[in-house]
Amino acid sequence: MAFVAPAPAEAASTLGASAAEKGRYFGTAVAAHKLSDSQYVSILNREFNSVTAENEMKWDATEPSQGRFSYTNADRIVNHARANGMSIRGHALLWHAQQPGWAQNMSGSALRSAAINHVTQVASYYRGRIHSWDVVNEAFADGGSGGRRDSNLQRTGNDWIEAAFRAARAADPNAKLCYNDYNTDGVNAKSTGIYTMVRDFKARGVPIDCVGFQSHLTNSVPGDYQTNLQRFADLGVDVQITELDIAGTNQAAVYDTVTRACLAVSRCTGITVWGIRDSDSWRTGANPLLFDNNGNKKPAYTAVLNALNAGGTNPGGP
Ligand code: G2I
């Protein structure tokens, strides 16, 4: 009788399944109006096990007039995700951009109250359904200052961020609460400013669970990307790659490097790409995503899947 060698464990054949084998999620930004596009939905359902609403949970969408909340489009994404076993990243409770006009025109204590009420209402509405919330988005300045960005929210007082995190925790105690920003992909003045804030929050018991690195990249990724993720993880927070897209040359190689960096950091719990097909990207003409305009897998897709299949495990799970 011939000896039959046991079959090797089969490599997973989709991004979500492969990430799940490593205790992580692999997600995408989703636009509600595209849920009627059958090609879009078939790729979404086949490949991804996490979604982020691209615009539908932002302040202008969810509270278009003060105190009147509108969840129709966000709910379409949430319901689709839940019906298909996908987890949901909530994006974003407070941000200086995409505020409704009424909030743009407010300041001081009235704006502070309105902002905290917004956090409370939206996080309460979705309580129990959101894996991670971007509680505050893009509050730090670009350039070398390492300080906060000026905005109407910042002018209500430097403690607006911690007030938002406390309100979010009270509203949805089981959601992971994230701070999310861009141009934070290496050790630089901006990422160090955020690092210092997170360290201070952890020391003072301000509830923060995760930091999101948007990772809108072009041509390359900083050589200290993994080091930067790890220094945040060492503060006792999860790290997540939240809006990944990569334009320019070396696309597949850069996707490979980013994926491997996440897998090498045990507290890097998931990766989200900012759209499905190149034609879905906010970076018009840059073709920064994993599927081409016809929904075909690009070399970047294969690079990510192979990196996921080769990568380490995450004992903590997502
Ligand atoms: O700008 C890229 C991302 C940076 N980080 C935060 C993300 O929330 C942000 O996403 C983008 C969306 O991908 C775009 O789709 O945010 C943009 C707005 O800042 C979104 O663009 C807006 C257009 O500017 C509006 O004209 C349009 O009405 O999308 C809206 C909804 O389609």
Side-chain angles (χ1 to χ4, degrees), residues 21-249:
E21 285 183 356
K22 305 298 185 292
R24 293 172 168 87
Y25 65 82
F26 203 97
T28 179
V30 167
H33 68 270
K34 292 178 182 161
L35 291 174
S36 52
D37 173 337
S38 60
Q39 180 185 77
Y40 182 88
V41 171
S42 79
I43 301 171
L44 171 63
N45 292 354
R46 187 185 74 219
E47 296 288 343
F48 298 96
N49 58 9
S50 170
V51 299
T52 304
E54 187 172 2
N55 289 293
E56 293 80 351
M57 289 191 189
K58 293 172 180 175
W59 198 352
D60 61 349
T62 51
E63 196 181 0
S65 59
Q66 189 172 10
R68 296 176 66 105
F69 292 83
S70 163
Y71 297 111
T72 308
N73 287 327
D75 281 349
R76 291 176 64 192
I77 295 173
V78 168
N79 293 339
H80 184 93
R82 288 169 63 82
N84 291 281
M86 303 166 182
S87 64
I88 301 159
R89 297 194 79 264
H91 174 79
L93 292 169
L94 293 180
W95 187 23
H96 65 274
Q98 282 179 283
Q99 294 182 3
W102 62 267
Q104 292 176 37
N105 292 327
M106 289 177 82
S107 62
S109 58
L111 175 61
R112 172 66 72 93
S113 304
I116 297 303
N117 182 59
H118 180 76
V119 170
T120 299
Q121 296 297 326
V122 178
S124 297
Y125 178 81
Y126 284 114
R127 175 173 27 226
R129 294 186 282 170
I130 301 294
H131 174 283
S132 300
W133 264 116
D134 291 332
V135 178
V136 170
N137 191 43
E138 302 178 6
F140 276 71
D142 290 310
S145 76
R148 299 285 181 84
R149 172 196 297 276
D150 179 51
S151 72
N152 60 345
L153 290 165
Q154 182 62 27
R155 290 191 292 272
T156 71
N158 204 53
D159 62 343
W160 73 277
I161 297 181
E162 62 193 83
F165 275 84
R166 292 187 200 279
R169 178 70 94 225
D172 187 353
N174 294 321
K176 291 188 181 292
L177 305 182
C178 303
Y179 176 82
N180 189 52
D181 216 326
Y182 67 92
N183 283 351
T184 53
D185 307 307
V187 176
N188 59 36
K190 186 174 180 180
S191 64
T192 299
I194 296 163
Y195 176 87
T196 303
M197 178 187 75
V198 173
R199 188 176 58 189
D200 171 60
F201 280 12
K202 295 298 282 185
R204 290 191 296 111
V206 178
I208 184 166
D209 306 305
C210 37
V211 175
F213 299 81
Q214 294 183 11
S215 304
H216 296 294
L217 299 170
T218 300
N219 298 329
S220 64
V221 59
D224 55 5
Y225 187 77
Q226 182 182 321
T227 300
N228 190 46
L229 296 178
Q230 187 66 58
R231 73 168 173 155
F232 279 86
D234 289 345
L235 291 175
V237 290
D238 290 343
V239 295
Q240 304 178 8
I241 298 169
T242 53
E243 302 183 15
L244 181 62
D245 52 21
I246 304 172
T249 54

